Each structure stands twice: as structure tokens, then as C-alpha cells.
Amino acid sequence: MAEQSNESLKAYCDGYGELLSALCFTCIHCNYHLHKQCAEAPLEILNHPLHPKHIRRRLFLRQRPLPSDRKVYGCALCKEKRNMFVYECKTCYFSLDIKCAKLSSSYKFNQQPKLGIHSHPLTFIESLMAIYKCLDELPTKINHPSHHIHPLFLNRSDDSFCKLCQKEHFGAFYGCSLCYFNINLECALLRSIVEDKSCHQHPFTLFWKQDSFICDACGTEGNYISYICFTCCITVHKECTSLPHIIKFSRHDHCIFHKYFLETQELTKQDCKICFKEVKLDRGSYSCGKPGCNYVVHVNCVLENKDLYKVIEEEKQCEELYEKSMQSSIIRVIEVNEAGEATSVVHFSHQHCLVLADKIEEEIDRKCDGCMLPISNIFYYCSECPFFLHKTCAELPRIKQHWFHQSNATLNFNSFKYCGFCGRYCSGFFYDIKGWCMCLRCQLGAFRCGKCKFVLDFRCLTVPHLALHKIDEHMLNLTYHDDKEQSYCDICEQERDPSFWYYSCSICDTSAHFKCVLGEFPFLKDGSIVPYYYCHKDKHTLNFFRKVKGYPECSYCGKLCQEAILKCEKSACNYIIHYKCRWHY
């Protein structure tokens, strides 16, 4: 793909992590892109100077560290665990992301740093001894406005605690041994004026007074140094002078904007949507720019994890991102009714047209093929085969930014797939997110209460609120506690702990363990083809079934099949095994 002519289709390189702006390779099926230089990157690097410990061994290219990957501790040079290609040593935990791995002794950063931290060009070095060359040019003694009573002397140490930024630092620092007062080099050489109109329209002026204050940008306390905007009469932390004005947070559909205060006409008392504590309206926060959307978060809460947000340079990008993330999974609308609803559609998950309906004519248990939950409201169905989708499931976005990851998630359809969040094998829709598969029930994501200590894991979070079972003619409701001292399950007839969840029908006074109601595979569709398992003799594909008629013998253990099985559907083949026996053949 030579260039990106359409603004709304802009994408990022999956190898380098930056906006595509030159020749690139792209996969149109799964929204995957690579710069030409990333696609042609060597699969291995020999004798990299930053890894002398195993100088004779190679560093191997891998796509990117997964969120659960415990063997990647971040880039050895920049110390960050970024979502991009990395080179790693197979002998130890050493790794370099592709940006840092490309550096060599001949590569120079000749442009002035954006933040003005250093005044000289920076050169990549292979030996740590060369670091002291620049330090020798610094004055060994300074008089500093943060400590008037004594001069500060240049020291070199493994670590020190900076009195100004209140953080541990490694390397050189200025200090007073009499007062145990130390400041790191960056704080000692702070700029007196900071101006970045992309973050704030006026310049900030450094104020050295050693006193505590409340930062108007983030709403938290600060000590010692601060920066002041005399035009707006606000005081901020040093790091808050460069807060991004607009960001796209993975847990909200719209872009959010930084404001130093929120007008009371906009919002009344609001709680942060991350920590659930009150957001002070007269302090800095991030809030949604969409009319009618009252999404507000604390600055430090939303910026805590760099993997969950990205900075937006221009406001016009917000609508482009939103439109791209809300692409419908309905490929084509064939007919609409007077109310404008699509009554006949073509959906990416099914080969036939789907028709809108509001009730099932046959009195049988039908489940949505997208979420595997019972059909109980308006839905689409196929007139040629038994295929059903809730209207809400049929209208899900095909591509969206997901709540736990900045990368785009793509909606796919699979008859037999393992969800990496609730730990169940499921059928239906999945969101694929950089190597993770998430079933439709887990994609909602909330799992703790901000007001109390109530917590749910993904498995319990996704238990359906309503379920059907032949023990009762009505829908069973998920119930959280029982007042009875002694309770029994009407399915297994065993005693039931009244403090645990169960399903009940208030009309018939029915109650049962939720595991007895749902079974072991509540979200798998009978007849699903099971990947990686085949008929032992003829290598036919095997289909999953909860039960089989006639109680045939298992082809492996010889016992009667009364529970979940894998079966060959070929008419001339009678191969059947228990699901639990699948590992043994």
C-alpha cells in the first residue's frame, strides 16, 4: 500500500507502533499493517553491542510481548515494555524493542530534544564509561535557589532521593552533605519558562518556593517547585506542564479532553469512572467532549497506564477514530421498514440473508448464535437454516478499541474457541485482540464495585442472569442469596449452600445450582467442529455434542457415552469418544 489518501483510514504500524506515513504492507482481512522496513527487518541479530554477556549468541525477532508474557521485562535500553516488535535473547531475559535495536555507534540524535533537557547533540555509545565525558563538563559546585544556605556539589552515586521531585534517581546529582539535601540533574537544570501550546495556550513560569500546593492540572498535592501560569492564575506540577490536551482512552468510546475546571452547568457532582472517588469540579480532570456524555476521570487515574491511552494531536481525529471503531458487522442492508429498521440484512457471520422478527413461532429453546444466550427479544433469523442473532448482537461493531487494550479488536465468528478471560470453550462471536480471544459476554469488562469490596472474576461475571432448563417451564433467574437455613437443588437433589448463587423460579418455587442448570459447556453449540482433533482411523473432523442418543460405547475407553462427546458425522463412520478421552488417542 503506497500511501494513505483517506484520513479516516489512517492506521499504525504493528511493528513500530507509529502512524503509517510511507510504503507499507497491509492485510485487509485483519487490519494488520507493517512499515516496509519492519516487514523486511532481519529475523536475528548477531553480536549486538548492548548484550556483551552473550555476544556470540543471536537476538531473535518476535512480534510483540503479550500482556501475560512474564519473560519480557521491557527493553534493556529504554526500559519500556512497548507494543512493538522486539529482539530477545533465548538464553536470558534480555530484549530490545525494534527502535532501540536499530541504534548503532554511528547514529546521532542531532536535533534538539523537545523538552530541552540537554543542550548538546546526543550520540549512541557502546561503553558506559563514555557517560562521564559529558559530566566532566558540568560545574562541580552551584548555588541553587532551592537551597540558599549552602552551595550544592556534584556527586556520582548509584541512587539518591531528590528533594524537589520526591523520587529516587540513579546517577549524578547535586547535593549538600550538611543538610542531606539532594537534587537530580534534571531538577537542578530546570527551564525557567515552559511553553507548549499543544498542552496549554500560555507559558508556565518556574516558581522555586519550597511549599506545598494543590496542582490545578491534576488536583493532587505538590511539594517544593511548581510552575505558574500568570494569565490563568493556575499552579501545576513540573510534569503537568505537558499534559496532553486530548487523549483516546481504551475504556471509553469517545475522546476525552483535559480541563482545569468543569462548569457547574456541564456537570453536577461526579465520580471518577476509574477509581469511583469524587472528581473536584474546580480541579483538573479529563472529561468527554460529546454532548450528553458525562464521562469524567481523574488525571492520574487515566494516565496511570500508558498502554490504555494514546495522545490525539488534532480534534478532527476524534470523529475519525469513532467512526472507524463503529464499523457495523452488517455487510449490507436489503430491506428497511417504515421506522427505518433493517428488516433484511447480510451479515458477515452467515452465508444466507437474515430477517428481523420479534417472536419465535415454535415453542422450543433457541439460543443466539452470537452470544449463546436464549432468544428473548427482537432478533434476526435465517429462513433457510436454524441460525439466530439478537438484534444487538447483529449490530455489534466489527472493529472497536477494547477496554483493556489500546489496540483495535476485530469481531470474528467461530464454532469452537477458547476464551482467554472466562476460561470457557465457547461458540459464537469473539473479539480478537493481539493474540487474545474474548467471548461476547466477557467483552463488557466491569468486574468490581467501586463502593464496596464486591469482586467478580470473569467466569462468574459472565454467568447469564436468565436461563432455561427442562426442570421448569419458566425462565430461571440468577439469585444471589437464600434466606432458608437448609436448601436443596431440584436437579441433582443434593444439599445447596444458601450463601452461593443459584437459579430459581419464584412462581414454581424451583431452585438449583447454577452449574446444574448451565452444565459444563453452556456456551458451546452442538455440532461445532472441534479443531486439532480427528477420527483416529480415517482422519475425519470431529463434532462436539453434549449428549448422544442410544448410549454407544466410547471408541477409546469402551464405557457408555452419557455425557459430552466428540463424534464423526460421516455416515459410514461410527467413531465416538468421550470429550474427556480426547487427549489419549
Side-chain angles (χ1 to χ4, degrees):
M1 187 168 68
E3 62 181 19
Q4 300 184 76
S5 58
N6 191 330
E7 287 288 325
S8 65
L9 297 178
K10 282 190 174 181
Y12 290 81
C13 173
D14 286 275
Y16 215 64
E18 293 184 353
L19 187 69
L20 294 170
S21 58
L23 289 173
C24 68
F25 292 92
T26 184
C27 174
I28 61 175
H29 299 291
C30 55
N31 199 33
Y32 186 85
H33 314 277
L34 287 178
H35 280 122
K36 186 174 184 290
Q37 60 182 359
C38 292
E40 297 172 350
L43 295 178
E44 55 189 51
I45 299 176
L46 181 63
N47 301 332
H48 199 285
L50 285 180
H51 193 45
K53 182 179 179 181
H54 298 123
I55 195 66
R56 297 184 182 274
R57 297 185 182 273
R58 290 176 170 84
L59 300 179
F60 294 91
L61 181 69
R62 63 180 294 178
Q63 278 206 311
R64 58 178 48 81
L66 296 174
S68 62
D69 201 335
R70 297 179 180 178
K71 292 186 178 181
V72 178
Y73 287 86
C75 175
L77 183 59
C78 67
K79 308 301 182 185
E80 292 189 13
K81 186 176 179 180
R82 296 185 282 194
N83 189 26
M84 62 173 62
F85 284 3
V86 295
Y87 285 93
E88 68 175 7
C89 176
K90 299 294 186 182
T91 306
C92 62
Y93 292 148
F94 180 88
S95 64
L96 290 171
D97 63 40
I98 192 171
K99 284 187 177 181
C100 295
K102 287 174 59 181
L103 298 176
S104 68
S105 58
S106 62
Y107 190 89
K108 293 187 176 182
F109 297 84
N110 289 318
Q111 294 182 347
Q112 294 297 320
K114 183 178 180 182
L115 296 179
I117 294 173
H118 198 66
S119 57
H120 309 134
L122 301 178
T123 303
F124 178 76
I125 57 172
E126 296 182 8
S127 171
L128 295 177
M129 294 299 296
I131 292 177
Y132 292 107
K133 291 181 180 179
C134 192
L135 291 180
D136 290 337
E137 300 177 7
L138 294 174
T140 57
K141 175 183 174 182
I142 62 172
N143 293 312
H144 201 270
S146 65
H147 192 67
H148 294 287
I149 57 176
H150 302 119
L152 302 179
F153 292 89
L154 182 65
N155 289 278
R156 299 184 176 103
S157 176
D158 291 336
D159 63 272
S160 63
F161 184 80
C162 177
K163 285 286 188 177
L164 297 187
C165 64
Q166 302 288 299
K167 295 179 181 178
E168 290 282 350
H169 289 270
F170 297 90
F173 66 95
Y174 282 100
C176 173
S177 58
L178 297 175
C179 304
Y180 300 101
F181 182 90
N182 300 325
I183 57 175
N184 69 68
L185 294 184
E186 184 181 346
C187 290
L189 305 174
L190 285 173
R191 289 184 295 167
S192 58
I193 301 292
V194 174
E195 186 170 10
D196 185 352
K197 291 189 176 180
S198 66
C199 300
H200 189 66
Q201 64 267 40
H202 310 126
F204 284 102
T205 302
L206 178 61
F207 184 62
W208 282 112
K209 186 177 180 182
Q210 301 179 25
D211 198 2
S212 61
F213 64 95
I214 300 298
C215 175
D216 289 302
C218 68
T220 61
E221 187 178 5
N223 294 299
Y224 295 102
I225 56 173
S226 62
Y227 279 87
I228 297 175
C229 174
F230 291 107
T231 305
C232 301
C233 296
I234 56 175
T235 304
V236 301
H237 296 113
K238 172 175 67 71
E239 57 270 23
C240 290
T241 60
S242 57
L243 285 179
H245 177 55
I246 311 172
I247 63 173
K248 178 64 183 70
F249 186 45
S250 63
R251 299 183 184 179
H252 190 62
D253 290 334
H254 313 133
C255 290
I256 53 178
F257 296 74
H258 180 262
K259 294 182 179 180
Y260 288 95
F261 63 93
L262 294 172
E263 298 180 5
T264 55
Q265 292 90 341
E266 296 180 58
L267 294 170
T268 55
K269 180 180 176 181
Q270 287 290 320
D271 292 337
C272 172
K273 296 301 188 295
I274 298 176
C275 71
F276 302 102
K277 295 179 180 178
E278 184 182 356
V279 175
K280 300 292 185 182
L281 302 184
D282 59 343
R283 301 294 181 186
S285 62
Y286 279 94
S287 58
C288 183
K290 283 282 185 182
C293 185
N294 293 335
Y295 188 88
V296 180
V297 289
H298 291 122
V299 171
N300 291 335
C301 289
V302 74
L303 300 182
E304 182 180 14
N305 190 336
K306 292 182 178 179
D307 292 333
L308 297 182
Y309 72 91
K310 61 183 176 184
V311 178
I312 304 300
E313 300 294 339
E314 299 179 11
E315 189 171 344
K316 66 178 182 179
Q317 293 177 255
C318 296
E319 197 61 36
E320 295 170 1
L321 287 171
Y322 181 70
E323 290 177 0
K324 182 179 178 180
S325 68
M326 297 305 291
Q327 293 178 18
S328 175
S329 52
I330 295 176
I331 299 174
R332 188 171 74 255
V333 175
I334 300 174
E335 294 179 3
V336 295
N337 58 20
E338 294 180 356
E341 290 181 309
T343 56
S344 180
V345 299
V346 177
H347 199 270
F348 88 93
S349 63
H350 196 63
Q351 67 271 32
H352 305 135
C353 294
L354 302 179
V355 181
L356 190 67
D358 58 3
K359 69 175 182 178
I360 297 178
E361 296 180 359
E362 304 171 359
E363 291 296 328
I364 54 177
D365 178 17
R366 289 294 187 190
K367 290 185 177 181
C368 169
D369 285 277
C371 65
M372 296 305 297
L373 296 176
I375 294 290
S376 58
N377 51 19
I378 191 168
F379 61 94
Y380 286 97
Y381 73 96
C382 177
S383 59
E384 300 183 43
C385 62
F387 186 86
F388 299 83
L389 287 179
H390 289 122
K391 186 174 183 289
T392 52
C393 292
E395 294 172 346
L396 284 169
R398 186 70 195 275
I399 298 175
K400 67 178 297 185
Q401 182 183 303
H402 230 288
W403 58 266
F404 85 105
H405 206 285
Q406 188 58 228
S407 303
N408 283 338
T410 305
L411 186 68
N412 287 313
F413 186 79
N414 199 298
S415 63
F416 195 101
K417 195 83 170 179
Y418 181 79
C419 174
F421 292 81
C422 64
R424 296 187 181 99
Y425 284 99
C426 308
S427 300
F429 289 150
F430 284 83
Y431 273 106
D432 292 330
I433 315 157
K434 299 296 183 183
W436 288 82
C437 287
M438 174 183 280
C439 71
L440 214 55
R441 292 160 301 281
C442 288
Q443 65 97 16
L444 295 175
F447 56 92
R448 76 178 177 93
C449 176
K451 304 296 183 182
C452 64
K453 296 181 178 180
F454 186 81
V455 179
L456 295 177
D457 62 22
F458 277 101
R459 196 173 185 88
C460 291
L461 175 73
T462 57
V463 172
H465 292 186
L466 299 173
L468 284 170
H469 194 274
K470 63 183 180 181
I471 195 174
D472 199 289
E473 62 178 327
H474 306 110
M475 294 285 283
L476 299 175
N477 292 277
L478 185 64
T479 310
Y480 307 112
H481 63 274
D482 194 345
D483 296 331
K484 299 176 182 177
E485 294 183 0
Q486 194 171 25
S487 305
Y488 291 88
C489 172
D490 290 320
I491 297 176
C492 68
E493 298 182 350
Q494 299 295 316
E495 189 171 355
R496 180 174 55 79
D497 189 332
S499 63
F500 289 167
W501 292 3
Y502 65 100
Y503 280 104
S504 67
C505 173
S506 58
I507 300 174
C508 305
D509 197 26
T510 303
S511 64
H513 297 116
F514 72 80
K515 290 184 179 180
C516 291
V517 173
L518 298 177
E520 187 178 359
F521 304 98
F523 307 119
L524 269 177
K525 186 176 182 179
D526 280 352
S528 300
I529 296 176
V530 183
Y532 313 120
Y533 295 100
Y534 303 92
C535 174
H536 186 63
K537 180 180 179 181
D538 301 313
K539 303 300 180 183
H540 299 150
T541 57
L542 298 179
N543 298 72
F544 171 85
F545 292 92
R546 289 176 177 78
K547 292 183 180 181
V548 64
K549 296 178 181 179
Y551 301 107
E553 294 182 355
C554 173
S555 298
Y556 172 76
C557 68
K559 296 180 180 179
L560 298 181
C561 293
Q562 303 181 46
E563 50 193 29
I565 55 97
L566 302 182
K567 177 185 177 184
C568 177
E569 289 286 82
K570 300 289 183 180
S571 57
C573 184
N574 59 356
Y575 187 82
I576 296 176
I577 61 168
H578 290 117
Y579 181 79
K580 63 184 179 182
C581 292
R582 70 192 188 282
W583 303 104
H584 300 291
Y585 71 93

